[in-house]
Amino acid sequence: METSAFFTLISTSLMYLIFPGRTETFNQVIDPVHTELKWAGLFLAAHKYFDVDRRRGNSLSWKYDPRVFHKHFPMPRLRSLHPQVNEACHQGVMACVREIASKAQESPSIADTDEELKKAALALPDTIPAFYPLTSDLELFQYRTTASYFMCWYTMRREELLMNYMGEKPCLENLNKVKEKIWADMTVTEYRTGSYAFPWRCAEIQFCPDPCYGRRTEGNVPSASALREDKGNPCRHLKDRTCKWVPDENTDLESLQRNMFNITCACHKEKPGFRWSSRYKLCVDIDECTESNVECEENRICQNSVGSFACVCRMGNKFDSQKKLCVEHVPLPAHSFHRSSKVRVVKQKTALRRFLEYVFGLRESPKP
Ligand SMILES: *[C@@H]1O[C@H](CO)[C@@H](O)[C@H](O)[C@H]1NC(C)=O
């Protein structure tokens, strides 16, 4: 009795010590990361939605160029990655987020979107250029494009750190308060919010291109029906217009930079045995024989056909409908020799008969 009371006392005090402590530490770790992610996310979303390709045209005109960057984002590929982001991001997702957030929080781009940032910005002289803390517009462009490559890559690798940092808020909350918006002269409506149903949604929207939706509408996806009708949706010609990213097949950093995303449409609902090809951008027949290890019975081989496959008799075998089996064929040469000699005899017979008929005056010519 005494021992059990002792244990209860110990375990309760342990629970008391461990649990509140643990949740606090958890929040102490995760809250600042979520704040950093919100800054980094907005800083990169401002680039994705409102930036123009600064490598083109002269530095005076770019502000007034149409916002076509989003359509091909992040193409064309950078010739060289920004060294600082590249280095930090190769160390891991945490180092990558830290690096991007450190630039983001100093940048005038997102200064008006957060009380804390606003206060910090007021301490700076107001002659700070838009590319601050980087050294030029071009460098800012290179920095944010590189950062997007890596952050999208981490999103595709389903890093837990990037889960649900927007909570239930809209993924593009505050996008309309970023500096770039002033000269972009457009509003982006993205109805999808950070949701517990799909924890990486906001990371995808903020860091990645939109191979499924929004490319033709400058990122405007105001509702679920707009999402299906979207002109940039590769699956829009099918009965079921759902377009999805292929899980685990978008994890190659090199391909991400080339914008070679693997998406999929519901081709099997259209035609059974068909599948979406990201390469050809249409539904193609699945070769079941090479892909799904079809095992055929003895003497049979797998033959692919449109939408399906069949196990057919191997060459030199014939289907015996009584035995319901593929059986070896009677060897060909002996058989054909036998038949051709018979044919020859018949031919000779008829020639002789024709000759005799001629001789006896029944025919006018010995030839047929
Ligand atoms: C998409 O799939 C192809 C073929 O499997 C692969 O080579 C490519 O790296 C994938 N793309 C991404 C972004 O991982």
Side-chain angles (χ1 to χ4, degrees), residues 9-23:
L9 180 72
I10 290 288
S11 57
T12 354
S13 42
L14 269 179
M15 291 283 275
Y16 184 76
L17 279 175
I18 292 167
F19 272 98
R22 210 182 67 158
T23 36

PDB file of all heavy atoms in Angstrom, residues 9-23:
ATOM      1  N   LEU A   9       2.491   9.262  -6.115  1.00  0.00           N
ATOM      2  CA  LEU A   9       3.039  10.595  -5.831  1.00  0.00           C
ATOM      3  C   LEU A   9       4.121  10.952  -6.841  1.00  0.00           C
ATOM      4  O   LEU A   9       4.110  12.010  -7.479  1.00  0.00           O
ATOM      5  CB  LEU A   9       3.620  10.618  -4.407  1.00  0.00           C
ATOM      6  CG  LEU A   9       4.234  11.949  -3.981  1.00  0.00           C
ATOM      7  CD1 LEU A   9       3.134  12.982  -3.734  1.00  0.00           C
ATOM      8  CD2 LEU A   9       5.098  11.787  -2.748  1.00  0.00           C
ATOM      9  N   ILE A  10       5.032  10.004  -7.031  1.00  0.00           N
ATOM     10  CA  ILE A  10       6.135  10.219  -7.966  1.00  0.00           C
ATOM     11  C   ILE A  10       5.614  10.483  -9.381  1.00  0.00           C
ATOM     12  O   ILE A  10       5.979  11.470 -10.023  1.00  0.00           O
ATOM     13  CB  ILE A  10       7.091   8.999  -7.993  1.00  0.00           C
ATOM     14  CG1 ILE A  10       7.871   8.894  -6.670  1.00  0.00           C
ATOM     15  CG2 ILE A  10       8.063   9.061  -9.168  1.00  0.00           C
ATOM     16  CD1 ILE A  10       8.948   9.951  -6.486  1.00  0.00           C
ATOM     17  N   SER A  11       4.691   9.586  -9.830  1.00  0.00           N
ATOM     18  CA  SER A  11       4.238   9.728 -11.218  1.00  0.00           C
ATOM     19  C   SER A  11       3.448  11.015 -11.442  1.00  0.00           C
ATOM     20  O   SER A  11       3.579  11.655 -12.477  1.00  0.00           O
ATOM     21  CB  SER A  11       3.438   8.494 -11.656  1.00  0.00           C
ATOM     22  OG  SER A  11       2.361   8.311 -10.777  1.00  0.00           O
ATOM     23  N   THR A  12       2.620  11.421 -10.430  1.00  0.00           N
ATOM     24  CA  THR A  12       1.862  12.669 -10.616  1.00  0.00           C
ATOM     25  C   THR A  12       2.810  13.855 -10.716  1.00  0.00           C
ATOM     26  O   THR A  12       2.639  14.735 -11.572  1.00  0.00           O
ATOM     27  CB  THR A  12       0.873  12.946  -9.443  1.00  0.00           C
ATOM     28  OG1 THR A  12       0.851  11.847  -8.558  1.00  0.00           O
ATOM     29  CG2 THR A  12      -0.505  13.280  -9.952  1.00  0.00           C
ATOM     30  N   SER A  13       3.805  13.853  -9.815  1.00  0.00           N
ATOM     31  CA  SER A  13       4.701  15.011  -9.869  1.00  0.00           C
ATOM     32  C   SER A  13       5.500  15.004 -11.168  1.00  0.00           C
ATOM     33  O   SER A  13       5.793  16.049 -11.742  1.00  0.00           O
ATOM     34  CB  SER A  13       5.621  15.051  -8.652  1.00  0.00           C
ATOM     35  OG  SER A  13       6.108  13.777  -8.357  1.00  0.00           O
ATOM     36  N   LEU A  14       5.813  13.787 -11.640  1.00  0.00           N
ATOM     37  CA  LEU A  14       6.521  13.698 -12.922  1.00  0.00           C
ATOM     38  C   LEU A  14       5.656  14.226 -14.063  1.00  0.00           C
ATOM     39  O   LEU A  14       6.125  15.002 -14.892  1.00  0.00           O
ATOM     40  CB  LEU A  14       6.920  12.236 -13.205  1.00  0.00           C
ATOM     41  CG  LEU A  14       8.290  11.805 -12.701  1.00  0.00           C
ATOM     42  CD1 LEU A  14       8.540  10.331 -13.027  1.00  0.00           C
ATOM     43  CD2 LEU A  14       9.399  12.653 -13.314  1.00  0.00           C
ATOM     44  N   MET A  15       4.390  13.793 -14.070  1.00  0.00           N
ATOM     45  CA  MET A  15       3.442  14.261 -15.093  1.00  0.00           C
ATOM     46  C   MET A  15       3.369  15.777 -15.077  1.00  0.00           C
ATOM     47  O   MET A  15       3.403  16.445 -16.106  1.00  0.00           O
ATOM     48  CB  MET A  15       2.023  13.717 -14.811  1.00  0.00           C
ATOM     49  CG  MET A  15       1.860  12.237 -15.000  1.00  0.00           C
ATOM     50  SD  MET A  15       1.761  11.801 -16.712  1.00  0.00           S
ATOM     51  CE  MET A  15       0.016  12.058 -16.957  1.00  0.00           C
ATOM     52  N   TYR A  16       3.252  16.298 -13.852  1.00  0.00           N
ATOM     53  CA  TYR A  16       3.139  17.732 -13.677  1.00  0.00           C
ATOM     54  C   TYR A  16       4.374  18.446 -14.228  1.00  0.00           C
ATOM     55  O   TYR A  16       4.298  19.463 -14.900  1.00  0.00           O
ATOM     56  CB  TYR A  16       2.958  18.046 -12.184  1.00  0.00           C
ATOM     57  CG  TYR A  16       2.733  19.510 -11.914  1.00  0.00           C
ATOM     58  CD1 TYR A  16       1.483  20.091 -12.177  1.00  0.00           C
ATOM     59  CD2 TYR A  16       3.764  20.316 -11.448  1.00  0.00           C
ATOM     60  CE1 TYR A  16       1.280  21.446 -11.969  1.00  0.00           C
ATOM     61  CE2 TYR A  16       3.559  21.660 -11.236  1.00  0.00           C
ATOM     62  CZ  TYR A  16       2.315  22.225 -11.486  1.00  0.00           C
ATOM     63  OH  TYR A  16       2.112  23.565 -11.285  1.00  0.00           O
ATOM     64  N   LEU A  17       5.519  17.810 -13.926  1.00  0.00           N
ATOM     65  CA  LEU A  17       6.779  18.412 -14.379  1.00  0.00           C
ATOM     66  C   LEU A  17       6.951  18.302 -15.902  1.00  0.00           C
ATOM     67  O   LEU A  17       7.336  19.259 -16.557  1.00  0.00           O
ATOM     68  CB  LEU A  17       7.966  17.721 -13.690  1.00  0.00           C
ATOM     69  CG  LEU A  17       8.285  18.193 -12.275  1.00  0.00           C
ATOM     70  CD1 LEU A  17       9.399  17.335 -11.692  1.00  0.00           C
ATOM     71  CD2 LEU A  17       8.734  19.669 -12.275  1.00  0.00           C
ATOM     72  N   ILE A  18       6.646  17.108 -16.402  1.00  0.00           N
ATOM     73  CA  ILE A  18       6.933  16.863 -17.825  1.00  0.00           C
ATOM     74  C   ILE A  18       5.953  17.578 -18.753  1.00  0.00           C
ATOM     75  O   ILE A  18       6.343  18.310 -19.636  1.00  0.00           O
ATOM     76  CB  ILE A  18       6.956  15.349 -18.139  1.00  0.00           C
ATOM     77  CG1 ILE A  18       8.161  14.709 -17.452  1.00  0.00           C
ATOM     78  CG2 ILE A  18       7.034  15.106 -19.640  1.00  0.00           C
ATOM     79  CD1 ILE A  18       8.140  13.208 -17.424  1.00  0.00           C
ATOM     80  N   PHE A  19       4.638  17.375 -18.500  1.00  0.00           N
ATOM     81  CA  PHE A  19       3.690  17.817 -19.517  1.00  0.00           C
ATOM     82  C   PHE A  19       3.610  19.307 -19.807  1.00  0.00           C
ATOM     83  O   PHE A  19       3.781  19.690 -20.955  1.00  0.00           O
ATOM     84  CB  PHE A  19       2.320  17.155 -19.325  1.00  0.00           C
ATOM     85  CG  PHE A  19       2.294  15.858 -20.045  1.00  0.00           C
ATOM     86  CD1 PHE A  19       2.519  14.682 -19.366  1.00  0.00           C
ATOM     87  CD2 PHE A  19       2.125  15.819 -21.423  1.00  0.00           C
ATOM     88  CE1 PHE A  19       2.553  13.473 -20.045  1.00  0.00           C
ATOM     89  CE2 PHE A  19       2.154  14.622 -22.098  1.00  0.00           C
ATOM     90  CZ  PHE A  19       2.368  13.446 -21.412  1.00  0.00           C
ATOM     91  N   PRO A  20       3.407  20.132 -18.757  1.00  0.00           N
ATOM     92  CA  PRO A  20       3.345  21.576 -19.088  1.00  0.00           C
ATOM     93  C   PRO A  20       4.667  22.021 -19.713  1.00  0.00           C
ATOM     94  O   PRO A  20       4.697  22.770 -20.679  1.00  0.00           O
ATOM     95  CB  PRO A  20       3.127  22.259 -17.742  1.00  0.00           C
ATOM     96  CG  PRO A  20       2.791  21.192 -16.772  1.00  0.00           C
ATOM     97  CD  PRO A  20       3.304  19.911 -17.310  1.00  0.00           C
ATOM     98  N   GLY A  21       5.756  21.455 -19.140  1.00  0.00           N
ATOM     99  CA  GLY A  21       7.090  21.799 -19.652  1.00  0.00           C
ATOM    100  C   GLY A  21       7.222  21.463 -21.115  1.00  0.00           C
ATOM    101  O   GLY A  21       7.677  22.274 -21.906  1.00  0.00           O
ATOM    102  N   ARG A  22       6.740  20.267 -21.476  1.00  0.00           N
ATOM    103  CA  ARG A  22       6.934  19.823 -22.837  1.00  0.00           C
ATOM    104  C   ARG A  22       6.149  20.672 -23.846  1.00  0.00           C
ATOM    105  O   ARG A  22       6.683  21.070 -24.859  1.00  0.00           O
ATOM    106  CB  ARG A  22       6.529  18.354 -22.978  1.00  0.00           C
ATOM    107  CG  ARG A  22       7.342  17.670 -24.053  1.00  0.00           C
ATOM    108  CD  ARG A  22       6.915  16.257 -24.234  1.00  0.00           C
ATOM    109  NE  ARG A  22       5.561  16.223 -24.789  1.00  0.00           N
ATOM    110  CZ  ARG A  22       5.090  15.172 -25.450  1.00  0.00           C
ATOM    111  NH1 ARG A  22       5.832  14.110 -25.605  1.00  0.00           N
ATOM    112  NH2 ARG A  22       3.865  15.185 -25.914  1.00  0.00           N
ATOM    113  N   THR A  23       4.889  20.964 -23.513  1.00  0.00           N
ATOM    114  CA  THR A  23       4.102  21.756 -24.462  1.00  0.00           C
ATOM    115  C   THR A  23       4.707  23.155 -24.620  1.00  0.00           C
ATOM    116  O   THR A  23       4.728  23.701 -25.710  1.00  0.00           O
ATOM    117  CB  THR A  23       2.627  21.884 -24.032  1.00  0.00           C
ATOM    118  OG1 THR A  23       2.573  21.981 -22.636  1.00  0.00           O
ATOM    119  CG2 THR A  23       1.806  20.699 -24.520  1.00  0.00           C
TER     120      THR A  23
END
